[in-house]
């Protein structure tokens, strides 16, 4: 008969779900039974209190308070031992019906013992062996003995795991090893996916993955594998390296221990981080150059529709107003980086750089026009203020074309009488003329 194939993860998950539901139903049944027992005990207490009121407080204190006190063959010595126990032990009504033997239940906890709170309770999912290991390591710090391990273990169970513990047969656990074995066997299916040695051989370094990220990812998986031999670890991590210079270096160096491998890897990681930093600097520089090229390709738009005609070259006007400090030069004047193929025959006096002339510079033209309209450049305008005022203020009102306007005679503003010839005073001599 052929062996049955192992269940798939989905089948295991389904089995775990069904087991949890069964445990939940069992816990609900146990809870109902406990409630019924508690009601019977309370009814018996009330009946006994009514029948024995005349016996005083001493007799009423001897009445049973929970199910564990119902046996009538308990002797006085056992009652004294229970009264001597701490109050927190006597408050738990389920100790007598729990899975532990009398030796464990009668063990008196040290007075200074405190229950650790750093371990997360196990709720039925995850590796049960890992939970037991964590529990042992925490309790060993407190010097816990075997009875203490048994008594404290249920405190770190929750949900279906706690329901499973409550369903254990009474007086069936005498040692913690027995409890741990049953716990691990019962929740073995909860560890649905655990890595083993073979899984390490499937971990490979990605084409673009850095050596640091690969080692970190590999180490996380390796740490979850119990009893992993260092040689297997070393062989698997070397096999997962992608082809390249570092793989060739490891093949030549042949490290025999993980420490030697990590020493070689540390140097390679430093080199990769240095290259990455340089690459980041280059990309930042390229972005700056791209931004500069964008700004370089920007062409300003003229602000004015018409510009004043000056009687002097714009170069000379710029020089004079710069010397008189009427305006300030640009902040980077004279320090502009010039392209390789710049036209040296063109020069802008305002920007103090080659590549374009002052007449072609829109910024310089706008600046001079603004100063001219403010009245600061009247001496550089032909005809001074009269011509500038006439050209800026007069608007065509009759619909004439610009050519007809240019042909129309200008209206005289003043009449100046001049002597074209002859004597001014009518005398022939200079004294007579005076």
């Amino acid at each position: 008969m052929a062996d049955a194939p192992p269940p798939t993860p989905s089948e295991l998950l389904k089995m775990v779900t069904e087991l949890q539901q069964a445990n939940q139903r069992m816990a609900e049944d146990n809870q109902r039974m406990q409630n019924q027992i508690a009601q019977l005990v309370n009814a018996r207490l009330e009946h006994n209190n009514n029948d024995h009121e005349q016996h005083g407080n001493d007799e009423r204190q001897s009445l049973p308070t929970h199910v564990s006190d119902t046996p009538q063959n308990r002797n006085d010595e056992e009652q004294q031992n229970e009264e001597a126990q701490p109050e927190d032990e006597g408050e738990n009504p389920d100790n007598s019906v729990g899975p532990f033997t009398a030796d464990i239940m009668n063990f008196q906890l040290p007075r200074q013992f405190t229950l650790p709170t750093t371990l997360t309770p196990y709720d039925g999912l995850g590796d049960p062996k890992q939970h037991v290991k964590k529990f042992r390591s925490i309790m060993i710090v407190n010097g816990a003995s075997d009875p203490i391990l048994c008594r404290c273990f249920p405190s770190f169970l929750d949900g279906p795991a706690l329901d499973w513990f409550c369903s254990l047969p009474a007086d069936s656990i005498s040692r913690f090893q027995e409890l741990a074995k049953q716990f691990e066997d019962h929740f073995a299916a909860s560890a649905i996916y655990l890595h083993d040695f073979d899984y390490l051989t499937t971990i490979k370094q990605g084409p673009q993955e850095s050596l640091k990220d690969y080692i970190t990812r590999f180490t996380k998986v390796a740490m979850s594998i119990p009893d992993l031999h260092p040689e297997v670890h070393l062989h698997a991590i070397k096999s997962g390296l992608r082809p390249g210079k570092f793989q060739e270096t490891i093949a030549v160096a042949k490290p025999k221990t993980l420490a030697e491998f990590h020493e070689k890897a540390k140097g390679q990681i430093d080199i990769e981080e240095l290259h990455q930093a340089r690459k980041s600097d280059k990309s930042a520089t390229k972005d700056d150059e791209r931004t500069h090229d964008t700004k370089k390709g920007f062409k300003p738009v003229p602000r004015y529709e018409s510009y004043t005609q000056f009687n002097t070259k714009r170069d000379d006007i710029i020089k004079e107003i710069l010397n008189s400090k009427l305006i300030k030069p640009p902040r980077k004047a004279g320090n502009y980086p010039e392209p390789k193929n710049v036209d040296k025959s063109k020069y802008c006096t305002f920007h103090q750089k080659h590549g374009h002339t002052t007449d072609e510079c829109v910024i310089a033209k706008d600046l001079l026009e603004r100063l001219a309209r403010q009245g600061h450049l009247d001496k550089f305008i032909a005809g001074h203020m009269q011509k500038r005022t006439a050209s800026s203020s007069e608007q065509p009102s009759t619909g004439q074309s610009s050519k007809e306007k240019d042909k129309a005679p200008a209206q005289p503003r003043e009449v100046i009488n001049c002597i074209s010839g002859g004597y001014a005073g009518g005398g022939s001599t200079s004294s007579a003329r005076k």
Side-chain angles (χ1 to χ4, degrees), residues 278-414:
R278 290 179 178 176
K279 188 182 296 183
S280 301
D281 293 341
K282 288 182 179 180
S283 61
T285 304
K286 289 182 179 180
D287 293 339
D288 294 340
E289 292 177 355
R290 191 178 298 107
T291 304
H292 177 71
D293 294 340
T294 303
K295 293 181 179 179
K296 180 180 178 181
F298 171 73
K299 294 183 179 180
V301 180
R303 295 180 55 186
Y304 304 98
E305 295 181 358
S306 61
Y307 289 86
T308 302
Q309 297 295 327
F310 297 105
N311 57 14
T312 308
K313 293 182 178 181
R314 286 190 173 87
D315 287 315
D316 298 335
I317 299 175
I318 291 293
K319 290 179 182 179
E320 183 169 343
I321 61 179
L322 286 175
N323 292 332
S324 63
K325 298 182 179 181
L326 180 62
I327 62 172
K328 293 182 179 181
R331 288 180 298 176
K332 296 183 179 180
N335 298 324
Y336 290 97
E338 294 183 352
K340 294 181 180 180
N341 300 325
V342 66
D343 188 358
K344 295 288 186 179
S345 62
K346 295 181 179 181
Y347 183 78
C348 177
T349 306
F350 179 68
H351 289 103
Q352 301 179 22
K353 61 176 292 187
H354 294 90
H356 67 278
T357 62
T358 308
D359 292 335
E360 297 173 349
C361 183
V362 177
I363 297 177
K365 290 175 64 177
D366 290 343
L367 174 64
L368 294 178
E369 182 64 23
R370 178 168 58 84
L371 294 175
R373 296 189 181 192
Q374 292 176 355
H376 298 292
L377 304 179
D378 289 345
K379 65 179 181 179
F380 300 109
I381 300 174
H384 299 291
M385 287 295 298
Q386 289 82 2
K387 184 176 180 180
R388 185 180 65 83
T389 304
S391 61
S392 60
S393 61
E394 290 181 359
Q395 300 293 337
S397 58
T398 59
Q400 294 179 346
S401 64
S402 59
K403 293 182 179 180
E404 294 176 354
K405 184 177 180 181
D406 293 339
K407 294 179 180 180
Q411 297 295 331
R413 296 174 61 86
E414 296 179 355

Side-chain angles (χ1 to χ4, degrees), residues 114-158:
T114 56
L115 188 66
T117 58
T118 56
L119 179 61
T120 303
Y122 182 83
D123 59 355
L125 296 177
D127 188 4
K129 294 183 179 180
Q130 192 69 18
H131 180 75
V132 173
K133 286 183 179 180
K134 292 181 180 180
F135 173 75
R136 284 181 179 273
S137 62
I138 292 176
M139 299 302 294
I140 287 175
V141 177
N142 295 331
S145 59
D146 197 77
I148 295 179
L149 293 177
C150 293
R151 296 278 290 275
C152 296
F153 187 73
S155 301
F156 297 98
L157 300 179
D158 193 11

Side-chain angles (χ1 to χ4, degrees), residues 410-422:
Q411 297 295 331
R413 296 174 61 86
E414 296 179 355
V415 177
I416 302 176
N417 296 321
C418 299
I419 299 176
S420 60

Side-chain angles (χ1 to χ4, degrees), residues 3 6 16 30 33 46 50 96 105 136 157 174 185-186 245 257 276 334 361-362 401 412 417 434:
D3 296 337
V16 172
N30 292 337
M33 293 176 63
E46 294 177 359
N50 294 331
S96 61
M105 295 306 302
R136 284 181 179 273
L157 300 179
S174 60
D185 293 343
H186 184 80
K245 294 183 178 179
T257 62
Q276 184 65 28
C361 183
V362 177
S401 64
N417 296 321
K434 292 180 180 180

